[in-house]
Amino acid sequence: MTKIQLYDTTLRDGMQGEGMSLSAQEKLRVAHRLDELGIDLIEAGFPSSNPKELELFSLLAAEHFDHAQIAAFGMTRRRGAGAAEDPALRTLAQCFAPVCTVVGKTWALHLHKVVRVDREENLRMIDESVAFLAGEGKHVIYDAEHFFDGFADDREYALSCLRAAARAGARTVVCCDTNGGTLPHSIATAMGEVVAAMAPLGVAVGIHCHDDAGCGVANSLTAVAQGATHVQGTINGYGERCGNANLVSVIPNLQLKLGYRCLSDAQLASLAPAAHFLDELLNFTPNPDQPYVGRNAFAHKGGMHVAGVNADPTTFEHIDPAVVGNRRELLISELSGKGTVVARAREAGISLHDQGAARVVERVKEREHRGYHYEAADGSFELLLRKEAGEYRQLFRLESWRAIVEKRADGRVETEATIKIWVDGERYVRTAEGNGPVNALDRALRDALTETYPHLGEIDLVNFKVRILDEAKGTGAITRVLLDASDGDQVWGSIGVSENVIEASWEALVDSLEYGMQVSTRTAASPGS
Amino acid sequence: MTKIQLYDTTLRDGMQGEGMSLSAQEKLRVAHRLDELGIDLIEAGFPSSNPKELELFSLLAAEHFDHAQIAAFGMTRRRGAGAAEDPALRTLAQCFAPVCTVVGKTWALHLHKVVRVDREENLRMIDESVAFLAGEGKHVIYDAEHFFDGFADDREYALSCLRAAARAGARTVVCCDTNGGTLPHSIATAMGEVVAAMAPLGVAVGIHCHDDAGCGVANSLTAVAQGATHVQGTINGYGERCGNANLVSVIPNLQLKLGYRCLSDAQLASLAPAAHFLDELLNFTPNPDQPYVGRNAFAHKGGMHVAGVNADPTTFEHIDPAVVGNRRELLISELSGKGTVVARAREAGISLHDQGAARVVERVKEREHRGYHYEAADGSFELLLRKEAGEYRQLFRLESWRAIVEKRADGRVETEATIKIWVDGERYVRTAEGNGPVNALDRALRDALTETYPHLGEIDLVNFKVRILDEAKGTGAITRVLLDASDGDQVWGSIGVSENVIEASWEALVDSLEYGMQVSTRTAASPGS
């Protein structure tokens, strides 16, 4: 089994993506998580570019990594000057990182129109920059920018750029599809020639793809099939424009379907949590449809799927979800039957007999007809199960609530909510302001409840979606609110439906907190069980 | 140039995706949009499954499509019964749709474990179902479910399923990667054999992929390279689990990079708006990183990129974004919008000089930064233009409004709104109830205004959408409200943005009514002009 060297550039190329922002400390956490995952090389950034990067490199220098090596990134020397005099290359040479990745030009169009360097000088820039860093004892990786465009334009020149790097001492030469528009068949042709041309030079060949044509993953696999043994990409495909090749898809494809070795089995089983960790840290909602690791990636709807999966999971699943740290999701919808409900109850540790399950199915159907939709509201669904099984505990009894929004002539908007509730025989009246009526209700309710349930303070509302059903009824339409909440460990969804957006939100909010409390009770109880 | 037949299954397979929900009327709008885009075949659903689908098919039967044909979907007959006696196949035969797509089994594992049908009976089911529909004059397409798993398991049997369909009169046999985990190299091998095996039978070969390995697009391209001429997929890759093959990526790849013919140039230039239209209708946030059509797909950051693009766009762009209806996003430029603004003003009969247009561009940019989005809010945009041109007339001056929502212990929710406004020097105080706070505000405001502006009584709010921006902030996030209003003749959109959902709705409501009044003034004035 050929071992593939995994090169993660989340912290450098990935950071070019929209909305990507991490402090030096957060980048350190990412590096450790990538190390645990089993990434071989972690590109941390340009050590020379700014104080934040300098801080990151000095932090990294003091860290221990079990497996991964840190790579520092830079460009070939400026034209017409010596490599040893180039300040950026000198910083690279002095940086603690054992691996240096140098990017250089390959495509004549760029030489003419962007950097205004002639072809021969470009080859000297590659040669001298790589030789300088190799001479300083660095493990050098050469990134050939716009390689595939260059290859299509002038095959021989593109190969001569790679040869210059290889002869100057690069350990790996990487073909980059920088503009991201190359398709697999072109990647295959070019990589076949590259691998053949580099073989006599004893240099490894790598691939670096982007997803502008929706083929970033397939392009990476194609390159490996042609003999590349080093793959660059980012976690979750972060990166500018349409993103970089997504390592979270590339890795299981290589290892589970193509017979290459990337990670240990235990590391592969931490892929989904690692992918979600990165999203959480970056404050992105994880893409529920992401291959292998998304919440929906192994979701089944409808009776036939559920029956098939029960008989033999391979009937409807291309891999065992546990292998990548994901799990099967049996979606609850009006199409689902009793079997799905029973299976979900079992998962949640709720004992529900057949008759109860049948009643839940009826209940779900009736509620979906009114606009409920339990697929994304696993928390609300579990509360339905608990109510049916007699395992439901109400957090409080409502006397009333009131939300007031006022707009003044000066444009100021004020929002206030008052709730009156009973908890354990005690009456609580609380008023809170908020930046909207639901926010104010949330605050007032928590204010009243946290005295009795301090754990509620740990629950955050992380996602709030409003959908108007039957939009064509204008403001008289039914509103469906979906809330996601998290206690920092688990995320759950809840739902509310009403003609009134505030009432729908309230319903989802209450489900959200009630579910959160059932979970905490379950967790607290588990050591004794 | 080979023409590729495009088969869209957004309305059937796409609807299996999480959160996909469309009324029959909305599906009709989708079908028309797909027709305009140049899709050849539109799979509308199962005509037999439920009242909503029956309603859709009866609506579709009455519609005219310029180019597209409607396909109805069904399964092979039940085991051990005649095709002509199968109620679902009879419904298919009786349905107006000229095209019928029939799905059947190919994989022995499914025959044994899921449907419990023997191999010979399965071949008869395929044969008789296709023959029955072809005999009824239908253009029959045969979808071979789990084809690639079946092919890997028993190559000969998989091919014999296709042959059965072809010999029974199917015009196209489609190889489906139902579980979505097949990689391009396996698709290439299997499709090569399929195309060779089907050639003597005179039947076209199609491909239907899913994205479970992140290769749905590449797999579709690979199949075409092997000779498939019919491609199934969905707009934006909607579909269960990780989604179907994304036609929005497949189409430009085939047409712009591989030399196949899919759409006319004008149709291809409507690809991005069509993709966004679908997202809007489904209330999904368009993926900004989506290949070809995403807002970031041609975004350039940093001076070198911008200089390169100015020198020659091909340095940093894999295609010209205008070809797919997208545009370059230069994160420092401002000139782009002025021409559009002047053109829009001219259309609305508003005289706006260059300087004014430049100020509108600035205003729009600043507001889009805060979450506004004028693509679907033409009414609000025209009000911006009028304000700049000094042609804006305020309907009323606000003193204040207040909305109260109360929930009682008995579960009853009461909503009341009071507005205080000045119209032509006269103060109006009005209170109204409603089924939600926005509905109550709308009623109170109209009650106060219709005395002065009776025409407002003719304006209906026909559509109301709420989107939470920055969903990850929970209930503290920014809310964008889009309203569509109509006077029975014209439909216009308006927008409001605020942390407070009620305030955002109010803003959109006021724009909606103000725009409605400007239109009526214009219409009333036009005979004299």
Side-chain angles (χ1 to χ4, degrees):
Chain A
M1 268 202 321
T2 308
K3 162 75 178 126
I4 300 299
Q5 188 173 59
L6 298 174
Y7 185 102
D8 180 278
T9 181
T10 300
L11 296 178
R12 202 269 309 167
D13 219 13
M15 294 306 291
Q16 301 293 314
E18 191 195 353
M20 297 287 289
S21 165
L22 291 172
S23 68
Q25 281 294 347
E26 287 171 324
K27 287 184 176 177
L28 206 61
R29 291 177 65 192
V30 171
H32 278 294
R33 192 66 189 240
L34 294 172
D35 181 40
E36 283 164 31
L37 178 61
I39 296 294
D40 301 296
L41 295 160
I42 299 171
E43 191 176 88
F46 292 89
S48 57
S49 71
N50 67 42
K52 198 166 143 189
E53 299 288 290
L54 282 173
E55 183 198 350
L56 171 63
F57 276 90
S58 74
L59 284 170
L60 285 167
E63 294 292 311
H64 166 78
F65 294 96
D66 278 338
H67 170 76
Q69 288 194 297
I70 300 296
F73 186 81
M75 293 189 337
T76 50
R77 69 156 171 78
R78 297 181 193 165
R79 76 182 145 170
E85 280 76 55
D86 188 284
L89 284 175
R90 286 167 63 102
T91 310
L92 263 188
Q94 284 152 17
C95 164
F96 86 96
V99 181
C100 290
T101 301
V102 181
V103 65
K105 297 284 173 190
T106 322
W107 188 12
L109 182 75
H110 267 255
L111 293 175
H112 305 329
K113 299 226 170 163
V114 185
V115 289
R116 286 154 213 263
V117 163
D118 72 45
R119 291 169 171 236
E120 288 311 311
E121 169 64 358
N122 182 53
L123 291 174
R124 284 191 298 272
M125 285 160 66
I126 296 169
D127 167 60
E128 292 169 22
S129 305
V130 171
F132 168 68
L133 291 169
E136 296 285 320
K138 297 294 188 182
H139 169 151
V140 182
I141 294 169
Y142 179 70
D143 271 10
E145 199 186 48
H146 297 287
F147 180 81
F148 298 95
D149 296 303
F151 186 88
D153 176 52
D154 183 343
R155 182 182 160 286
E156 262 319 306
Y157 185 72
L159 290 173
S160 67
C161 293
L162 298 182
R163 279 195 202 97
R167 288 181 181 138
R171 300 246 208 123
T172 305
V173 293
V174 182
C175 301
C176 301
D177 184 29
T178 309
N179 290 357
T182 307
L183 296 186
H185 69 286
S186 308
I187 299 274
T189 309
M191 290 305 287
E193 294 204 32
V194 167
V195 170
M198 294 301 115
L201 302 175
V203 72
V205 175
I207 182 75
H208 172 116
C209 294
H210 285 259
D211 204 34
D212 296 70
C215 294
V217 170
N219 284 347
S220 307
L221 304 181
T222 301
V224 171
Q226 294 296 325
T229 56
H230 165 111
V231 175
Q232 300 193 350
T234 61
I235 299 299
N236 299 329
Y238 304 128
E240 65 186 324
R241 303 190 314 272
C242 308
N244 285 57
N246 187 351
L247 286 180
V248 175
S249 300
V250 170
I251 292 169
N253 278 330
L254 287 175
Q255 182 144 335
L256 300 174
K257 295 176 186 252
L258 294 169
Y260 294 93
R261 195 159 44 82
C262 299
L263 306 177
S264 74
D265 291 350
Q267 287 166 336
L268 188 59
S270 75
L271 188 66
H276 299 155
F277 168 80
L278 263 285
D279 274 333
E280 289 299 331
L281 199 66
L282 288 155
N283 208 16
F284 293 139
T285 306
N287 173 6
D289 295 354
Q290 190 174 341
Y292 289 103
V293 301
R295 176 165 44 82
N296 294 337
F298 301 94
H300 301 285
K301 236 191 224 188
M304 212 226 267
H305 270 224
V306 175
V309 164
N310 282 339
D312 181 344
T314 63
T315 52
F316 286 104
E317 286 175 357
H318 68 115
I319 62 153
D320 173 3
V323 166
V324 291
N326 204 347
R327 59 180 195 140
R328 179 173 309 144
E329 198 72 48
L330 301 179
L331 294 181
I332 298 301
S333 83
E334 49 187 335
L335 301 172
S336 8
K338 236 167 45 180
T340 319
V341 170
V342 171
R344 278 287 290 274
R346 201 183 309 122
E347 255 178 51
I350 299 165
S351 47
L352 196 66
H353 44 65
D354 250 34
Q355 238 179 341
R359 273 196 301 269
V360 171
V361 170
E362 280 315 300
R363 194 98 191 268
V364 166
K365 263 194 212 165
E366 175 263 320
R367 290 171 80 90
E368 295 213 336
H369 185 71
R370 278 158 50 203
Y372 287 79
H373 197 66
Y374 286 95
E375 272 177 35
D378 50 347
S380 292
F381 179 70
E382 195 176 314
L383 290 174
L384 270 191
L385 292 179
R386 287 185 179 278
K387 281 173 190 165
E388 183 57 44
E391 294 181 27
Y392 163 75
R393 195 160 58 96
Q394 198 180 27
L395 274 190
F396 64 91
R397 186 165 62 74
L398 179 71
E399 186 179 305
S400 68
W401 56 252
R402 183 179 65 231
I404 304 179
V405 183
E406 271 186 283
K407 179 164 182 170
R408 309 285 168 75
D410 63 5
R412 231 177 54 199
V413 179
E414 289 195 353
T415 306
E416 177 195 298
T418 300
I419 61 145
K420 300 176 185 174
I421 59 170
W422 294 79
V423 185
D424 290 341
E426 194 86 47
R427 183 167 183 261
Y428 292 81
V429 177
R430 291 288 187 277
T431 295
E433 292 182 309
N435 51 22
V438 184
N439 184 246
L441 279 167
D442 181 28
R443 287 185 182 174
L445 180 61
R446 280 164 192 264
D447 188 16
L449 289 175
T450 36
E451 216 170 273
T452 319
Y453 308 105
H455 172 70
L456 283 183
E458 288 153 35
I459 297 176
D460 284 326
L461 302 180
V462 293
N463 214 317
F464 181 53
K465 278 180 206 268
V466 178
R467 179 163 161 80
I468 310 298
L469 307 175
D470 210 349
E471 289 161 351
K473 282 194 184 155
T475 57
I478 294 280
T479 304
R480 177 198 290 160
V481 169
L482 284 168
L483 263 184
D484 285 342
S486 167
D487 56 7
D489 183 34
Q490 203 193 326
V491 177
W492 59 92
S494 63
I495 189 167
V497 172
S498 166
E499 276 185 337
N500 192 309
V501 62
I502 314 297
E503 163 63 6
S505 305
W506 167 263
E507 191 186 347
L509 179 65
V510 171
D511 267 14
S512 189
L513 299 182
E514 288 198 329
Y515 177 81
M517 285 308 297
Q518 321 271 358
V519 173
S520 83
T521 313
R522 196 157 83 216
T523 314
S526 60
S529 68
Chain B
M1 271 203 319
T2 309
K3 162 75 178 124
I4 300 299
Q5 187 172 59
L6 299 174
Y7 185 102
D8 181 277
T9 179
T10 300
L11 295 178
R12 202 270 308 167
D13 220 12
M15 294 306 292
Q16 299 293 314
E18 191 195 349
M20 297 286 292
S21 163
L22 290 173
S23 67
Q25 281 292 349
E26 287 172 325
K27 287 184 177 177
L28 205 61
R29 289 177 67 190
V30 171
H32 278 294
R33 192 65 187 243
L34 293 172
D35 181 40
E36 283 164 31
L37 178 61
I39 296 295
D40 300 296
L41 295 160
I42 299 171
E43 191 176 271
F46 290 89
S48 57
S49 72
N50 66 42
K52 201 166 141 188
E53 299 287 289
L54 281 174
E55 183 198 348
L56 172 63
F57 276 90
S58 73
L59 285 170
L60 284 168
E63 293 293 309
H64 167 77
F65 295 96
D66 278 338
H67 171 75
Q69 288 194 296
I70 299 297
F73 186 81
M75 296 192 330
T76 49
R77 69 157 171 78
R78 297 182 195 165
R79 77 182 142 167
E85 281 75 57
D86 189 283
L89 283 176
R90 287 168 62 104
T91 311
L92 264 188
Q94 284 152 16
C95 163
F96 86 95
V99 181
C100 290
T101 302
V102 181
V103 65
K105 298 285 173 190
T106 323
W107 188 11
L109 183 74
H110 268 255
L111 293 176
H112 304 332
K113 297 225 171 164
V114 185
V115 290
R116 286 154 214 262
V117 162
D118 72 45
R119 293 170 170 233
E120 288 312 310
E121 168 66 356
N122 182 52
L123 291 175
R124 283 190 298 271
M125 284 160 66
I126 296 170
D127 167 61
E128 292 169 22
S129 305
V130 171
F132 167 67
L133 290 170
E136 297 285 319
K138 298 293 185 180
H139 170 150
V140 180
I141 294 170
Y142 180 70
D143 272 11
E145 200 186 45
H146 298 287
F147 180 80
F148 298 96
D149 296 302
F151 187 87
D153 176 52
D154 183 341
R155 182 182 160 287
E156 262 320 305
Y157 185 71
L159 290 174
S160 67
C161 292
L162 298 183
R163 278 194 203 98
R167 288 185 181 133
R171 299 242 210 127
T172 305
V173 293
V174 181
C175 301
C176 301
D177 185 28
T178 310
N179 289 357
T182 307
L183 296 186
H185 70 286
S186 306
I187 298 274
T189 309
M191 290 306 286
E193 295 203 33
V194 168
V195 170
M198 293 301 115
L201 302 175
V203 71
V205 174
I207 182 75
H208 171 116
C209 294
H210 285 259
D211 204 36
D212 296 70
C215 294
V217 171
N219 283 347
S220 307
L221 304 181
T222 301
V224 171
Q226 294 296 326
T229 55
H230 164 111
V231 176
Q232 302 193 349
T234 62
I235 299 298
N236 300 327
Y238 304 128
E240 65 187 323
R241 302 190 315 273
C242 307
N244 284 57
N246 187 350
L247 286 180
V248 175
S249 300
V250 169
I251 291 169
N253 279 330
L254 286 175
Q255 183 144 335
L256 301 174
K257 297 178 185 252
L258 294 169
Y260 294 92
R261 194 159 46 81
C262 298
L263 306 177
S264 73
D265 291 350
Q267 287 166 338
L268 188 59
S270 76
L271 187 65
H276 299 155
F277 168 81
L278 264 285
D279 274 333
E280 287 298 336
L281 198 67
L282 288 156
N283 206 20
F284 292 140
T285 307
N287 173 6
D289 295 355
Q290 189 174 342
Y292 290 102
V293 300
R295 177 165 44 81
N296 294 336
F298 300 94
H300 300 287
K301 244 188 215 186
M304 211 226 268
H305 270 223
V306 175
V309 164
N310 283 338
D312 182 342
T314 62
T315 52
F316 286 103
E317 285 175 356
H318 69 115
I319 62 152
D320 173 2
V323 166
V324 291
N326 204 346
R327 59 185 191 139
R328 179 175 307 144
E329 202 69 50
L330 296 182
L331 301 174
I332 51 155
S333 113
E334 61 254 23
L335 276 166
S336 45
K338 220 170 63 175
T340 322
V341 169
V342 171
R344 281 284 290 273
R346 201 182 308 122
E347 255 176 52
I350 300 165
S351 48
L352 196 67
H353 44 65
D354 249 32
Q355 241 180 338
R359 273 197 300 271
V360 170
V361 170
E362 279 315 302
R363 192 98 193 270
V364 166
K365 259 198 220 161
E366 175 263 320
R367 291 171 79 90
E368 294 211 337
H369 185 71
R370 280 159 48 204
Y372 287 80
H373 194 67
Y374 287 96
E375 250 177 53
D378 50 346
S380 292
F381 181 71
E382 194 176 315
L383 290 174
L384 271 190
L385 292 179
R386 289 186 176 276
K387 281 172 191 167
E388 184 56 45
E391 295 182 25
Y392 163 74
R393 196 160 58 96
Q394 198 181 25
L395 275 189
F396 64 91
R397 186 165 63 73
L398 179 70
E399 187 179 304
S400 68
W401 56 252
R402 183 179 65 230
I404 304 177
V405 183
E406 272 186 282
K407 180 166 180 168
R408 311 284 169 75
D410 62 6
R412 231 178 51 200
V413 179
E414 288 196 353
T415 307
E416 175 195 300
T418 300
I419 62 146
K420 300 177 185 175
I421 60 171
W422 293 79
V423 186
D424 291 341
E426 194 85 49
R427 184 166 183 261
Y428 291 81
V429 178
R430 293 285 187 281
T431 295
E433 292 183 307
N435 49 23
V438 184
N439 184 246
L441 278 167
D442 181 28
R443 287 186 182 173
L445 181 60
R446 281 165 191 262
D447 189 15
L449 287 175
T450 34
E451 216 171 89
T452 319
Y453 308 105
H455 173 69
L456 283 183
E458 289 153 34
I459 298 177
D460 284 324
L461 303 179
V462 292
N463 215 316
F464 179 52
K465 277 179 207 265
V466 178
R467 159 131 1 124
I468 310 298
L469 308 174
D470 210 349
E471 288 162 353
K473 282 195 181 151
T475 57
I478 295 280
T479 304
R480 177 199 289 160
V481 170
L482 284 168
L483 263 185
D484 287 342
S486 168
D487 56 6
D489 181 33
Q490 204 192 327
V491 176
W492 59 92
S494 64
I495 187 167
V497 172
S498 167
E499 276 185 335
N500 190 310
V501 61
I502 314 296
E503 163 64 5
S505 305
W506 168 262
E507 192 186 344
L509 179 65
V510 171
D511 268 15
S512 189
L513 299 182
E514 287 199 329
Y515 177 80
M517 285 307 296
Q518 322 272 356
V519 173
S520 82
T521 313
R522 194 158 83 217
T523 313
S526 62
S529 68

